[in-house]
Amino acid sequence: MTDKELLIKKARQAGKQAYAPYSRFRVGAALLTKSGRIFTGSNVENASYGLTVCAERVAIFKAVSAGEKRFKAMGVVISSRKKTRPCGACLQVMNEFSDNLILYLSSKNKTETKKLSDLLPNPFTL
Ligand code: THU
């Protein structure tokens, strides 16, 4: 199985754990570290809507809090036919750890491969 196939499979499984009673928009993410580990995440919503955390950031924060900071690729799966794009906040968080992350973005009918730098060419930096 290729990295792409594995990450999409794991992201799809992770999306099943989404807690999305408000939007009903389920997202799953799977992050591959340079050391070969995979961390998954799903979106977790809150009655106070702004406290919601996206699937991508859940996966990244799980990895970083487990001591991993170097990432190779991430799969993101949504359960609709819409085009998948990580939100700007997640792109900025991805950029914190790797500016050349590969993203496999998958919806019900299509998967696209993008580089982080294509989606966020001018990140905020200090
Ligand atoms: N969401 C993600 O999990 N990832 C994104 O990149 C964009 C949006 C979630 C947040 C919220 O639970 C739902 O999708 C609708 O915005």
Side-chain angles (χ1 to χ4, degrees):
M1 201 181 266
T2 61
D3 283 356
K4 177 178 171 178
E5 287 164 343
L6 182 62
L7 289 173
I8 288 171
K9 184 178 164 203
K10 294 262 184 195
R12 183 164 289 115
Q13 283 168 354
K16 296 202 167 85
Q17 309 302 329
Y19 177 71
Y22 304 105
S23 74
R24 307 255 171 224
F25 190 80
R26 306 170 81 81
V27 187
L31 178 65
L32 176 63
T33 68
K34 288 199 172 162
S35 63
R37 296 169 76 187
I38 292 179
F39 291 84
T40 60
S42 65
N43 52 329
V44 181
E45 298 188 343
N46 191 273
S48 178
Y49 295 173
L51 300 182
T52 292
V53 183
C54 297
E56 297 93 322
R57 273 177 291 152
V58 170
I60 293 168
F61 294 157
K62 280 168 73 178
V64 174
S65 62
E68 298 283 355
K69 286 190 232 20
R70 298 177 66 234
F71 307 132
K72 199 169 158 191
M74 180 184 264
V76 182
V77 173
I78 57 165
S79 57
S80 88
R81 283 178 208 289
K82 291 193 178 128
K83 203 172 196 178
T84 334
R85 288 285 180 271
C87 79
C90 288
L91 294 174
Q92 179 70 33
V93 171
M94 289 170 196
N95 183 79
E96 182 75 21
F97 301 102
S98 43
D99 53 12
N100 54 0
L101 192 71
I102 303 295
L103 297 167
Y104 303 118
L105 307 171
S106 189
S107 63
K108 269 192 173 157
N109 51 345
K110 142 171 206 187
T111 298
E112 290 179 295
T113 301
K114 296 273 175 199
K115 287 190 287 186
L116 176 57
S117 56
D118 294 336
L119 300 182
L120 189 71
N122 295 297
F124 172 75
T125 52
L126 281 177

